[in-house]
PDB file of all heavy atoms in Angstrom:
ATOM      1  N   ASN A   1     147.089  96.270  52.931  1.00  0.00           N
ATOM      2  CA  ASN A   1     147.126  97.576  53.451  1.00  0.00           C
ATOM      3  C   ASN A   1     148.546  98.014  53.906  1.00  0.00           C
ATOM      4  O   ASN A   1     148.821  99.156  54.139  1.00  0.00           O
ATOM      5  CB  ASN A   1     146.108  97.798  54.516  1.00  0.00           C
ATOM      6  CG  ASN A   1     146.123  96.775  55.642  1.00  0.00           C
ATOM      7  OD1 ASN A   1     147.174  96.151  55.848  1.00  0.00           O
ATOM      8  ND2 ASN A   1     145.072  96.602  56.367  1.00  0.00           N
ATOM      9  N   SER A   2     149.396  97.033  54.093  1.00  0.00           N
ATOM     10  CA  SER A   2     150.822  97.286  54.197  1.00  0.00           C
ATOM     11  C   SER A   2     151.436  97.479  52.802  1.00  0.00           C
ATOM     12  O   SER A   2     151.946  96.511  52.229  1.00  0.00           O
ATOM     13  CB  SER A   2     151.588  96.151  54.945  1.00  0.00           C
ATOM     14  OG  SER A   2     150.996  95.985  56.277  1.00  0.00           O
ATOM     15  N   THR A   3     151.300  98.661  52.299  1.00  0.00           N
ATOM     16  CA  THR A   3     151.446  98.861  50.846  1.00  0.00           C
ATOM     17  C   THR A   3     152.818  98.598  50.386  1.00  0.00           C
ATOM     18  O   THR A   3     153.048  98.342  49.134  1.00  0.00           O
ATOM     19  CB  THR A   3     151.009 100.342  50.492  1.00  0.00           C
ATOM     20  OG1 THR A   3     151.785 101.248  51.305  1.00  0.00           O
ATOM     21  CG2 THR A   3     149.579 100.514  50.749  1.00  0.00           C
ATOM     22  N   TRP A   4     153.887  98.549  51.142  1.00  0.00           N
ATOM     23  CA  TRP A   4     155.218  98.344  50.733  1.00  0.00           C
ATOM     24  C   TRP A   4     155.427  96.848  50.271  1.00  0.00           C
ATOM     25  O   TRP A   4     156.380  96.483  49.641  1.00  0.00           O
ATOM     26  CB  TRP A   4     156.269  98.664  51.779  1.00  0.00           C
ATOM     27  CG  TRP A   4     156.183  97.827  52.991  1.00  0.00           C
ATOM     28  CD1 TRP A   4     156.922  96.694  53.277  1.00  0.00           C
ATOM     29  CD2 TRP A   4     155.450  98.092  54.171  1.00  0.00           C
ATOM     30  NE1 TRP A   4     156.585  96.202  54.538  1.00  0.00           N
ATOM     31  CE2 TRP A   4     155.611  97.054  55.161  1.00  0.00           C
ATOM     32  CE3 TRP A   4     154.489  99.091  54.540  1.00  0.00           C
ATOM     33  CZ2 TRP A   4     155.103  97.005  56.410  1.00  0.00           C
ATOM     34  CZ3 TRP A   4     153.883  99.042  55.811  1.00  0.00           C
ATOM     35  CH2 TRP A   4     154.170  97.997  56.689  1.00  0.00           C
ATOM     36  N   LEU A   5     154.405  96.006  50.596  1.00  0.00           N
ATOM     37  CA  LEU A   5     154.493  94.581  50.119  1.00  0.00           C
ATOM     38  C   LEU A   5     153.821  94.404  48.757  1.00  0.00           C
ATOM     39  O   LEU A   5     154.151  93.414  48.123  1.00  0.00           O
ATOM     40  CB  LEU A   5     153.717  93.703  51.172  1.00  0.00           C
ATOM     41  CG  LEU A   5     154.125  93.730  52.628  1.00  0.00           C
ATOM     42  CD1 LEU A   5     153.247  92.926  53.496  1.00  0.00           C
ATOM     43  CD2 LEU A   5     155.553  93.283  52.772  1.00  0.00           C
ATOM     44  N   ILE A   6     153.032  95.356  48.356  1.00  0.00           N
ATOM     45  CA  ILE A   6     152.322  95.163  47.119  1.00  0.00           C
ATOM     46  C   ILE A   6     153.326  95.038  45.932  1.00  0.00           C
ATOM     47  O   ILE A   6     154.216  95.848  45.783  1.00  0.00           O
ATOM     48  CB  ILE A   6     151.342  96.283  46.904  1.00  0.00           C
ATOM     49  CG1 ILE A   6     150.171  96.304  47.883  1.00  0.00           C
ATOM     50  CG2 ILE A   6     150.708  96.294  45.483  1.00  0.00           C
ATOM     51  CD1 ILE A   6     149.259  97.445  47.811  1.00  0.00           C
ATOM     52  N   GLY A   7     153.074  94.018  45.072  1.00  0.00           N
ATOM     53  CA  GLY A   7     153.877  93.809  43.893  1.00  0.00           C
ATOM     54  C   GLY A   7     155.175  93.102  44.217  1.00  0.00           C
ATOM     55  O   GLY A   7     156.037  92.994  43.275  1.00  0.00           O
ATOM     56  N   LYS A   8     155.367  92.645  45.368  1.00  0.00           N
ATOM     57  CA  LYS A   8     156.643  91.948  45.762  1.00  0.00           C
ATOM     58  C   LYS A   8     156.396  90.380  45.795  1.00  0.00           C
ATOM     59  O   LYS A   8     155.372  89.977  46.260  1.00  0.00           O
ATOM     60  CB  LYS A   8     157.176  92.415  47.132  1.00  0.00           C
ATOM     61  CG  LYS A   8     157.372  93.905  47.222  1.00  0.00           C
ATOM     62  CD  LYS A   8     158.527  94.312  46.382  1.00  0.00           C
ATOM     63  CE  LYS A   8     158.873  95.797  46.592  1.00  0.00           C
ATOM     64  NZ  LYS A   8     159.957  96.157  45.702  1.00  0.00           N
ATOM     65  N   PRO A   9     157.408  89.638  45.462  1.00  0.00           N
ATOM     66  CA  PRO A   9     157.272  88.117  45.534  1.00  0.00           C
ATOM     67  C   PRO A   9     157.666  87.613  46.916  1.00  0.00           C
ATOM     68  O   PRO A   9     158.665  86.960  47.170  1.00  0.00           O
ATOM     69  CB  PRO A   9     158.381  87.719  44.456  1.00  0.00           C
ATOM     70  CG  PRO A   9     159.439  88.717  44.447  1.00  0.00           C
ATOM     71  CD  PRO A   9     158.660  90.012  44.801  1.00  0.00           C
ATOM     72  N   LEU A  10     156.804  87.958  47.879  1.00  0.00           N
ATOM     73  CA  LEU A  10     157.153  87.709  49.268  1.00  0.00           C
ATOM     74  C   LEU A  10     157.375  86.273  49.568  1.00  0.00           C
ATOM     75  O   LEU A  10     158.316  85.903  50.236  1.00  0.00           O
ATOM     76  CB  LEU A  10     156.018  88.291  50.163  1.00  0.00           C
ATOM     77  CG  LEU A  10     156.192  88.154  51.679  1.00  0.00           C
ATOM     78  CD1 LEU A  10     157.486  88.954  52.111  1.00  0.00           C
ATOM     79  CD2 LEU A  10     154.948  88.612  52.418  1.00  0.00           C
ATOM     80  N   GLN A  11     156.536  85.432  49.114  1.00  0.00           N
ATOM     81  CA  GLN A  11     156.651  83.998  49.375  1.00  0.00           C
ATOM     82  C   GLN A  11     157.990  83.452  48.774  1.00  0.00           C
ATOM     83  O   GLN A  11     158.712  82.699  49.441  1.00  0.00           O
ATOM     84  CB  GLN A  11     155.482  83.175  48.828  1.00  0.00           C
ATOM     85  CG  GLN A  11     155.497  81.713  49.133  1.00  0.00           C
ATOM     86  CD  GLN A  11     154.174  81.060  48.790  1.00  0.00           C
ATOM     87  OE1 GLN A  11     153.379  81.537  47.986  1.00  0.00           O
ATOM     88  NE2 GLN A  11     153.948  79.844  49.322  1.00  0.00           N
ATOM     89  N   LYS A  12     158.322  83.803  47.532  1.00  0.00           N
ATOM     90  CA  LYS A  12     159.533  83.365  46.920  1.00  0.00           C
ATOM     91  C   LYS A  12     160.771  83.895  47.671  1.00  0.00           C
ATOM     92  O   LYS A  12     161.717  83.185  47.967  1.00  0.00           O
ATOM     93  CB  LYS A  12     159.614  83.873  45.454  1.00  0.00           C
ATOM     94  CG  LYS A  12     160.832  83.588  44.696  1.00  0.00           C
ATOM     95  CD  LYS A  12     160.827  84.132  43.277  1.00  0.00           C
ATOM     96  CE  LYS A  12     162.108  83.884  42.558  1.00  0.00           C
ATOM     97  NZ  LYS A  12     162.065  84.527  41.248  1.00  0.00           N
ATOM     98  N   ASP A  13     160.753  85.161  48.014  1.00  0.00           N
ATOM     99  CA  ASP A  13     161.876  85.754  48.701  1.00  0.00           C
ATOM    100  C   ASP A  13     162.094  85.181  50.074  1.00  0.00           C
ATOM    101  O   ASP A  13     163.232  84.959  50.505  1.00  0.00           O
ATOM    102  CB  ASP A  13     161.733  87.279  48.807  1.00  0.00           C
ATOM    103  CG  ASP A  13     161.894  87.950  47.445  1.00  0.00           C
ATOM    104  OD1 ASP A  13     162.437  87.362  46.514  1.00  0.00           O
ATOM    105  OD2 ASP A  13     161.460  89.152  47.300  1.00  0.00           O
ATOM    106  N   LEU A  14     160.980  84.936  50.817  1.00  0.00           N
ATOM    107  CA  LEU A  14     161.168  84.297  52.158  1.00  0.00           C
ATOM    108  C   LEU A  14     161.687  82.789  52.002  1.00  0.00           C
ATOM    109  O   LEU A  14     162.471  82.366  52.814  1.00  0.00           O
ATOM    110  CB  LEU A  14     159.778  84.295  52.881  1.00  0.00           C
ATOM    111  CG  LEU A  14     159.432  85.642  53.485  1.00  0.00           C
ATOM    112  CD1 LEU A  14     158.064  85.594  54.014  1.00  0.00           C
ATOM    113  CD2 LEU A  14     160.431  86.032  54.596  1.00  0.00           C
ATOM    114  N   GLY A  15     161.133  82.124  50.986  1.00  0.00           N
ATOM    115  CA  GLY A  15     161.650  80.768  50.738  1.00  0.00           C
ATOM    116  C   GLY A  15     163.133  80.710  50.448  1.00  0.00           C
ATOM    117  O   GLY A  15     163.852  79.892  50.996  1.00  0.00           O
ATOM    118  N   MET A  16     163.616  81.697  49.692  1.00  0.00           N
ATOM    119  CA  MET A  16     165.069  81.734  49.405  1.00  0.00           C
ATOM    120  C   MET A  16     165.878  82.096  50.657  1.00  0.00           C
ATOM    121  O   MET A  16     166.927  81.578  50.980  1.00  0.00           O
ATOM    122  CB  MET A  16     165.307  82.826  48.288  1.00  0.00           C
ATOM    123  CG  MET A  16     164.803  82.350  46.963  1.00  0.00           C
ATOM    124  SD  MET A  16     165.007  83.599  45.664  1.00  0.00           S
ATOM    125  CE  MET A  16     166.855  83.691  45.577  1.00  0.00           C
ATOM    126  N   ALA A  17     165.325  83.109  51.458  1.00  0.00           N
ATOM    127  CA  ALA A  17     166.055  83.557  52.630  1.00  0.00           C
ATOM    128  C   ALA A  17     166.178  82.445  53.645  1.00  0.00           C
ATOM    129  O   ALA A  17     167.128  82.343  54.411  1.00  0.00           O
ATOM    130  CB  ALA A  17     165.314  84.774  53.195  1.00  0.00           C
ATOM    131  N   LEU A  18     165.094  81.612  53.743  1.00  0.00           N
ATOM    132  CA  LEU A  18     165.050  80.525  54.783  1.00  0.00           C
ATOM    133  C   LEU A  18     165.445  79.226  54.258  1.00  0.00           C
ATOM    134  O   LEU A  18     165.541  78.230  54.990  1.00  0.00           O
ATOM    135  CB  LEU A  18     163.622  80.481  55.370  1.00  0.00           C
ATOM    136  CG  LEU A  18     163.138  81.711  56.135  1.00  0.00           C
ATOM    137  CD1 LEU A  18     161.656  81.605  56.453  1.00  0.00           C
ATOM    138  CD2 LEU A  18     163.985  81.805  57.467  1.00  0.00           C
ATOM    139  N   ASN A  19     165.639  79.159  52.932  1.00  0.00           N
ATOM    140  CA  ASN A  19     166.165  77.893  52.293  1.00  0.00           C
ATOM    141  C   ASN A  19     165.211  76.775  52.534  1.00  0.00           C
ATOM    142  O   ASN A  19     165.630  75.634  52.841  1.00  0.00           O
ATOM    143  CB  ASN A  19     167.539  77.547  52.811  1.00  0.00           C
ATOM    144  CG  ASN A  19     168.234  76.489  51.930  1.00  0.00           C
ATOM    145  OD1 ASN A  19     167.980  76.465  50.758  1.00  0.00           O
ATOM    146  ND2 ASN A  19     169.101  75.665  52.541  1.00  0.00           N
ATOM    147  N   ARG A  20     163.917  77.029  52.311  1.00  0.00           N
ATOM    148  CA  ARG A  20     162.888  76.000  52.429  1.00  0.00           C
ATOM    149  C   ARG A  20     161.530  76.581  51.841  1.00  0.00           C
ATOM    150  O   ARG A  20     161.403  77.769  51.763  1.00  0.00           O
ATOM    151  CB  ARG A  20     162.739  75.599  53.899  1.00  0.00           C
ATOM    152  CG  ARG A  20     161.902  76.580  54.738  1.00  0.00           C
ATOM    153  CD  ARG A  20     162.037  76.339  56.159  1.00  0.00           C
ATOM    154  NE  ARG A  20     163.271  76.842  56.622  1.00  0.00           N
ATOM    155  CZ  ARG A  20     163.619  76.892  57.950  1.00  0.00           C
ATOM    156  NH1 ARG A  20     162.846  76.445  58.841  1.00  0.00           N
ATOM    157  NH2 ARG A  20     164.817  77.409  58.323  1.00  0.00           N
ATOM    158  N   PRO A  21     160.678  75.716  51.523  1.00  0.00           N
ATOM    159  CA  PRO A  21     159.327  76.227  51.090  1.00  0.00           C
ATOM    160  C   PRO A  21     158.590  76.823  52.351  1.00  0.00           C
ATOM    161  O   PRO A  21     158.648  76.299  53.512  1.00  0.00           O
ATOM    162  CB  PRO A  21     158.612  75.028  50.579  1.00  0.00           C
ATOM    163  CG  PRO A  21     159.223  73.846  51.277  1.00  0.00           C
ATOM    164  CD  PRO A  21     160.685  74.207  51.433  1.00  0.00           C
ATOM    165  N   VAL A  22     157.948  77.934  52.097  1.00  0.00           N
ATOM    166  CA  VAL A  22     157.105  78.561  53.171  1.00  0.00           C
ATOM    167  C   VAL A  22     155.712  78.681  52.576  1.00  0.00           C
ATOM    168  O   VAL A  22     155.478  78.633  51.376  1.00  0.00           O
ATOM    169  CB  VAL A  22     157.597  79.929  53.610  1.00  0.00           C
ATOM    170  CG1 VAL A  22     159.010  79.861  54.129  1.00  0.00           C
ATOM    171  CG2 VAL A  22     157.481  80.920  52.423  1.00  0.00           C
ATOM    172  N   ARG A  23     154.731  78.648  53.505  1.00  0.00           N
ATOM    173  CA  ARG A  23     153.301  78.801  53.014  1.00  0.00           C
ATOM    174  C   ARG A  23     152.836  80.197  53.539  1.00  0.00           C
ATOM    175  O   ARG A  23     153.061  80.616  54.662  1.00  0.00           O
ATOM    176  CB  ARG A  23     152.423  77.717  53.673  1.00  0.00           C
ATOM    177  CG  ARG A  23     152.860  76.302  53.077  1.00  0.00           C
ATOM    178  CD  ARG A  23     151.932  75.282  53.493  1.00  0.00           C
ATOM    179  NE  ARG A  23     152.262  74.024  52.841  1.00  0.00           N
ATOM    180  CZ  ARG A  23     151.691  72.816  53.086  1.00  0.00           C
ATOM    181  NH1 ARG A  23     150.737  72.752  53.984  1.00  0.00           N
ATOM    182  NH2 ARG A  23     152.119  71.763  52.427  1.00  0.00           N
ATOM    183  N   LEU A  24     152.205  80.904  52.584  1.00  0.00           N
ATOM    184  CA  LEU A  24     151.806  82.289  52.748  1.00  0.00           C
ATOM    185  C   LEU A  24     150.243  82.378  52.680  1.00  0.00           C
ATOM    186  O   LEU A  24     149.704  81.741  51.744  1.00  0.00           O
ATOM    187  CB  LEU A  24     152.454  83.178  51.669  1.00  0.00           C
ATOM    188  CG  LEU A  24     152.253  84.658  51.767  1.00  0.00           C
ATOM    189  CD1 LEU A  24     153.016  85.243  52.942  1.00  0.00           C
ATOM    190  CD2 LEU A  24     152.739  85.284  50.470  1.00  0.00           C
ATOM    191  N   GLN A  25     149.670  83.090  53.525  1.00  0.00           N
ATOM    192  CA  GLN A  25     148.190  83.137  53.537  1.00  0.00           C
ATOM    193  C   GLN A  25     147.745  84.455  54.117  1.00  0.00           C
ATOM    194  O   GLN A  25     148.415  85.150  54.935  1.00  0.00           O
ATOM    195  CB  GLN A  25     147.646  81.899  54.327  1.00  0.00           C
ATOM    196  CG  GLN A  25     146.132  81.722  54.202  1.00  0.00           C
ATOM    197  CD  GLN A  25     145.714  81.628  52.744  1.00  0.00           C
ATOM    198  OE1 GLN A  25     145.253  82.565  52.143  1.00  0.00           O
ATOM    199  NE2 GLN A  25     145.850  80.405  52.203  1.00  0.00           N
ATOM    200  N   ASN A  26     146.589  84.891  53.745  1.00  0.00           N
ATOM    201  CA  ASN A  26     145.993  86.057  54.261  1.00  0.00           C
ATOM    202  C   ASN A  26     145.798  85.948  55.783  1.00  0.00           C
ATOM    203  O   ASN A  26     145.504  84.832  56.309  1.00  0.00           O
ATOM    204  CB  ASN A  26     144.572  86.244  53.628  1.00  0.00           C
ATOM    205  CG  ASN A  26     143.802  87.366  54.232  1.00  0.00           C
ATOM    206  OD1 ASN A  26     143.015  87.185  55.064  1.00  0.00           O
ATOM    207  ND2 ASN A  26     144.047  88.585  53.702  1.00  0.00           N
ATOM    208  N   ASP A  27     145.989  86.978  56.568  1.00  0.00           N
ATOM    209  CA  ASP A  27     145.968  86.921  57.952  1.00  0.00           C
ATOM    210  C   ASP A  27     144.580  86.530  58.546  1.00  0.00           C
ATOM    211  O   ASP A  27     144.527  85.769  59.564  1.00  0.00           O
ATOM    212  CB  ASP A  27     146.423  88.221  58.605  1.00  0.00           C
ATOM    213  CG  ASP A  27     145.728  89.462  58.099  1.00  0.00           C
ATOM    214  OD1 ASP A  27     144.783  89.335  57.282  1.00  0.00           O
ATOM    215  OD2 ASP A  27     146.138  90.521  58.477  1.00  0.00           O
ATOM    216  N   ALA A  28     143.510  86.919  57.862  1.00  0.00           N
ATOM    217  CA  ALA A  28     142.208  86.562  58.310  1.00  0.00           C
ATOM    218  C   ALA A  28     141.906  85.057  58.040  1.00  0.00           C
ATOM    219  O   ALA A  28     141.222  84.337  58.862  1.00  0.00           O
ATOM    220  CB  ALA A  28     141.041  87.361  57.589  1.00  0.00           C
ATOM    221  N   ASN A  29     142.528  84.537  56.983  1.00  0.00           N
ATOM    222  CA  ASN A  29     142.387  83.080  56.752  1.00  0.00           C
ATOM    223  C   ASN A  29     143.171  82.294  57.851  1.00  0.00           C
ATOM    224  O   ASN A  29     142.663  81.277  58.339  1.00  0.00           O
ATOM    225  CB  ASN A  29     143.010  82.724  55.437  1.00  0.00           C
ATOM    226  CG  ASN A  29     142.123  83.189  54.237  1.00  0.00           C
ATOM    227  OD1 ASN A  29     141.060  83.652  54.469  1.00  0.00           O
ATOM    228  ND2 ASN A  29     142.738  83.181  53.018  1.00  0.00           N
ATOM    229  N   CYS A  30     144.276  82.816  58.228  1.00  0.00           N
ATOM    230  CA  CYS A  30     145.044  82.189  59.411  1.00  0.00           C
ATOM    231  C   CYS A  30     144.208  82.223  60.611  1.00  0.00           C
ATOM    232  O   CYS A  30     144.253  81.240  61.442  1.00  0.00           O
ATOM    233  CB  CYS A  30     146.374  82.870  59.599  1.00  0.00           C
ATOM    234  SG  CYS A  30     147.532  82.674  58.215  1.00  0.00           S
ATOM    235  N   PHE A  31     143.532  83.314  60.918  1.00  0.00           N
ATOM    236  CA  PHE A  31     142.712  83.424  62.096  1.00  0.00           C
ATOM    237  C   PHE A  31     141.578  82.363  62.057  1.00  0.00           C
ATOM    238  O   PHE A  31     141.317  81.664  63.071  1.00  0.00           O
ATOM    239  CB  PHE A  31     142.078  84.845  62.195  1.00  0.00           C
ATOM    240  CG  PHE A  31     141.050  85.051  63.156  1.00  0.00           C
ATOM    241  CD1 PHE A  31     141.351  85.175  64.507  1.00  0.00           C
ATOM    242  CD2 PHE A  31     139.719  85.125  62.791  1.00  0.00           C
ATOM    243  CE1 PHE A  31     140.394  85.359  65.543  1.00  0.00           C
ATOM    244  CE2 PHE A  31     138.735  85.345  63.774  1.00  0.00           C
ATOM    245  CZ  PHE A  31     139.034  85.486  65.100  1.00  0.00           C
ATOM    246  N   ALA A  32     140.944  82.183  60.948  1.00  0.00           N
ATOM    247  CA  ALA A  32     139.919  81.202  60.809  1.00  0.00           C
ATOM    248  C   ALA A  32     140.407  79.815  61.024  1.00  0.00           C
ATOM    249  O   ALA A  32     139.822  78.951  61.755  1.00  0.00           O
ATOM    250  CB  ALA A  32     139.228  81.308  59.503  1.00  0.00           C
ATOM    251  N   VAL A  33     141.603  79.498  60.437  1.00  0.00           N
ATOM    252  CA  VAL A  33     142.178  78.139  60.599  1.00  0.00           C
ATOM    253  C   VAL A  33     142.533  77.891  62.062  1.00  0.00           C
ATOM    254  O   VAL A  33     142.238  76.808  62.585  1.00  0.00           O
ATOM    255  CB  VAL A  33     143.411  78.050  59.721  1.00  0.00           C
ATOM    256  CG1 VAL A  33     144.236  76.812  60.118  1.00  0.00           C
ATOM    257  CG2 VAL A  33     143.105  77.954  58.233  1.00  0.00           C
ATOM    258  N   SER A  34     143.082  78.861  62.793  1.00  0.00           N
ATOM    259  CA  SER A  34     143.487  78.734  64.177  1.00  0.00           C
ATOM    260  C   SER A  34     142.195  78.385  64.994  1.00  0.00           C
ATOM    261  O   SER A  34     142.190  77.430  65.798  1.00  0.00           O
ATOM    262  CB  SER A  34     144.127  79.942  64.717  1.00  0.00           C
ATOM    263  OG  SER A  34     144.290  79.930  66.142  1.00  0.00           O
ATOM    264  N   GLU A  35     141.125  79.194  64.871  1.00  0.00           N
ATOM    265  CA  GLU A  35     139.898  78.952  65.599  1.00  0.00           C
ATOM    266  C   GLU A  35     139.202  77.590  65.249  1.00  0.00           C
ATOM    267  O   GLU A  35     138.468  77.066  65.992  1.00  0.00           O
ATOM    268  CB  GLU A  35     138.960  80.156  65.475  1.00  0.00           C
ATOM    269  CG  GLU A  35     139.491  81.410  66.144  1.00  0.00           C
ATOM    270  CD  GLU A  35     139.762  81.213  67.675  1.00  0.00           C
ATOM    271  OE1 GLU A  35     138.870  80.641  68.302  1.00  0.00           O
ATOM    272  OE2 GLU A  35     140.805  81.698  68.146  1.00  0.00           O
ATOM    273  N   ALA A  36     139.475  77.161  63.994  1.00  0.00           N
ATOM    274  CA  ALA A  36     138.817  75.921  63.533  1.00  0.00           C
ATOM    275  C   ALA A  36     139.594  74.682  64.072  1.00  0.00           C
ATOM    276  O   ALA A  36     138.968  73.724  64.405  1.00  0.00           O
ATOM    277  CB  ALA A  36     138.765  75.818  62.028  1.00  0.00           C
TER     278      ALA A  36
END
């Protein structure tokens, strides 16, 4: 629903910007993992 992200390689671009692998996940999935 943050439509400016749609169609963008966010994980790849963040990995390049931070010079490391990053893990990307849906925010609701992150919420479930935290509470678990």
Side-chain angles (χ1 to χ4, degrees):
N1 54 21
S2 297
T3 53
W4 65 93
L5 302 176
I6 293 176
K8 302 294 187 181
L10 182 62
Q11 185 170 16
K12 177 183 176 182
D13 287 345
L14 284 172
M16 292 178 62
L18 293 168
N19 194 30
R20 77 196 76 176
V22 301
R23 293 186 177 176
L24 185 71
Q25 191 53 264
N26 175 266
D27 51 4
N29 290 348
C30 292
F31 171 75
V33 167
S34 173
E35 291 299 319

